[in-house]
Amino acid sequence: FNKLITEFPDSKYYDEGKLWLEYTHLKMGLLDVVKTNISNIEYEFNSRKIKVKKETLFLLYSLKGDLFVELKDYEKAFIEFEKSLNFIKSKSKKAMMYSKLAYICQSENRFEEAIDYLKKVDIISNNQEVKLESFRNRLDIMNELEMYNEIIFEIEERINLSDFQSEKLQ
């Protein structure tokens, strides 16, 4: 990535290269470096006359979200991840991002938020297995929280839908 950035500044991969370099720094634990460099990259993007590609903006906001997760500033992380969703067209990628957010919420005992993100996965996904897994995870969380009335409501709501007539769910 350094070679791409220094030797090929006119490359169509230049912006992505800068962001992927910061992902490597993030994985190396260089949080202060990443924070400074992301700020500089974002300033550079905002000061350009030409438009930055949507895929690049998705990568930027995802990177910022991951940085804030590492810094344990979850409110800012969720804001950045939500921004990244504005630059995704693919339903499967959106479902993956919502799943990631649900996982983060669960790991931080933010169960109500995890349930909300899992509902979004269920709504947006076209994949039957993903829908079933999201539904099952939601029921598991609700069970932990002793939300028995909500569990009954969810099951009654789904029981007659053709999407949920699988042996696995039954």
Side-chain angles (χ1 to χ4, degrees), residues 58-106:
F58 166 75
L59 190 57
L60 171 68
Y61 293 119
S62 295
L63 174 59
K64 287 178 73 174
D66 286 331
L67 172 63
F68 287 123
V69 167
E70 290 297 317
L71 295 170
K72 303 213 181 301
D73 189 341
Y74 298 103
E75 297 308 317
K76 286 184 181 176
F78 295 139
I79 290 168
E80 297 303 328
F81 285 131
E82 292 279 348
K83 284 182 192 175
S84 76
L85 288 163
N86 294 322
F87 301 101
I88 303 175
K89 288 184 181 178
S90 163
K91 285 186 174 187
S92 61
K93 284 185 181 180
K94 282 189 180 194
M96 286 188 332
M97 180 59 77
Y98 284 130
S99 294
K100 178 179 183 171
L101 291 168
Y103 174 79
I104 294 167
C105 288
Q106 265 186 284

Side-chain angles (χ1 to χ4, degrees), residues 3-166:
K3 186 173 184 169
L4 170 68
I5 294 163
T6 56
E7 294 181 24
F8 303 97
D10 295 328
S11 167
K12 67 179 183 177
Y13 303 110
Y14 176 79
D15 291 336
E16 289 86 356
K18 288 178 89 169
L19 293 170
W20 283 114
L21 177 62
E22 294 315 312
Y23 259 114
T24 61
H25 290 151
L26 181 66
K27 295 300 177 187
M28 294 168 55
L30 304 172
L31 303 182
D32 290 334
V33 170
V34 175
K35 198 172 185 179
T36 300
N37 290 346
I38 286 176
S39 181
N40 292 339
I41 291 168
E42 195 166 20
Y43 176 78
E44 178 187 331
F45 286 177
N46 290 332
S47 64
R48 284 189 187 165
K49 289 187 170 56
I50 53 173
K51 207 172 187 182
V52 178
K53 293 188 294 186
K54 287 184 176 188
E55 297 83 11
T56 305
L57 292 172
F58 166 75
L59 190 57
L60 171 68
Y61 293 119
S62 295
L63 174 59
K64 287 178 73 174
D66 286 331
L67 172 63
F68 287 123
V69 167
E70 290 297 317
L71 295 170
K72 303 213 181 301
D73 189 341
Y74 298 103
E75 297 308 317
K76 286 184 181 176
F78 295 139
I79 290 168
E80 297 303 328
F81 285 131
E82 292 279 348
K83 284 182 192 175
S84 76
L85 288 163
N86 294 322
F87 301 101
I88 303 175
K89 288 184 181 178
S90 163
K91 285 186 174 187
S92 61
K93 284 185 181 180
K94 282 189 180 194
M96 286 188 332
M97 180 59 77
Y98 284 130
S99 294
K100 178 179 183 171
L101 291 168
Y103 174 79
I104 294 167
C105 288
Q106 265 186 284
S107 66
E108 292 302 312
N109 299 324
R110 299 169 72 138
F111 297 115
E112 303 266 339
E113 291 167 281
I115 290 170
D116 290 340
Y117 283 122
L118 288 168
K119 282 181 186 176
K120 290 179 181 182
V121 170
D122 191 22
I123 291 167
I124 203 161
S125 181
N126 291 330
N127 183 308
Q128 188 61 29
E129 290 296 315
V130 171
K131 284 179 169 290
L132 290 173
E133 187 65 22
S134 169
F135 181 64
R136 191 189 59 74
N137 286 342
R138 250 185 16 252
L139 293 179
D140 288 344
I141 294 169
M142 286 190 256
N143 187 43
E144 275 187 51
L145 297 176
E146 299 178 356
M147 299 171 70
Y148 303 122
N149 289 335
E150 289 86 347
I151 292 172
I152 292 168
F153 176 78
E154 289 271 346
I155 291 172
E156 286 177 345
E157 192 175 71
R158 302 293 177 118
I159 200 96
N160 294 323
L161 295 178
S162 62
D163 290 349
F164 291 90
Q165 296 300 315
S166 75

